[in-house]
Amino acid sequence: SQKIEQNSEALNIQEGKTATLTCNYTNYSPAYLQWYRQDPGRGPVFLLLIRENEKEKRKERLKVTFDTTLKQSLFHITASQPADSATYLCALGGSSNTGKLIFGQGTTLQVKP
Amino acid sequence: GAVVSQHPSRVICKSGTSVKIECRSLDFQATTMFWYRQFPKQSLMLMATSNEGSKATYEQGVEKDKFLINHASLTLSTLTVTSAHPEDSSFYICSAMRGRGTDTQYFGPGTRLTVL
């Protein structure tokens, strides 16, 4: 069955450093991959989308890579700030045009001042 | 931006009662809405896909008679948890899409349901 793995352990980094979060998947060939941010007790907020034929996407301090051979996406936050502390979810979408997403369990990032 | 609201944000009910949760897209028309549930420190689990004017499509293992979904208009979908039990206690989140396929999903703030 399809499986998405994100590092379940919290990632603690110092302010100003680059945070790198990993999303690995198996038994699936997604047409696209999305990253969301979720704060405690809140719904997810969309950050970035990358398609299967794209290697890298950037948006301000965020960068996402997508390696369909390794079945892995990396999510980078450069010059991290305490306000970036949250849980980050990756989600995979298929080519069926339904818009359905399969979510990973998320990785919690803690940026210390 | 696209805003999705949910009401109520929190609800506590007695076992055996029914609870209705509303999901509204405030500034756009949503062709598709999704309902998820999320347990603490776990992933979002898709429950059903709701298209305006048609029956919802439920994921495997989700009881359609227990979780009634109505998508009456392009801006409103409701989820009714019928005969709620303590194991139904969870965080319920809806999302809405403007288009199809790879269009972004805009999520509501979620509803915390506690069944006593």
Side-chain angles (χ1 to χ4, degrees), chain A residues 49-95:
Chain A
L49 178 151
I50 187 165
R51 303 181 197 282
E52 60 179 334
N53 60 349
E54 297 175 316
K55 297 288 186 190
E56 182 179 299
K57 236 1 173 359
R58 290 176 185 261
K59 180 183 175 183
E60 297 172 354
R61 292 185 297 114
L62 308 180
K63 184 177 87 171
V64 171
T65 63
F66 193 9
D67 188 325
T68 55
T69 301
L70 290 179
K71 294 186 180 294
Q72 180 183 78
S73 174
L74 299 179
F75 177 76
H76 307 272
I77 305 175
T78 58
S80 60
Q81 304 164 0
D84 295 327
S85 299
T87 296
Y88 291 86
L89 307 168
C90 75
L92 306 183
S95 55

Side-chain angles (χ1 to χ4, degrees), chain B residues 18-37:
Chain B
S18 294
V19 174
K20 180 186 282 189
I21 302 170
E22 289 187 352
C23 176
R24 292 182 187 272
S25 55
L26 298 184
D27 51 1
F28 67 99
Q29 292 187 326
T31 56
T32 305
M33 288 184 170
F34 300 91
W35 286 96
Y36 298 83
R37 65 186 298 183

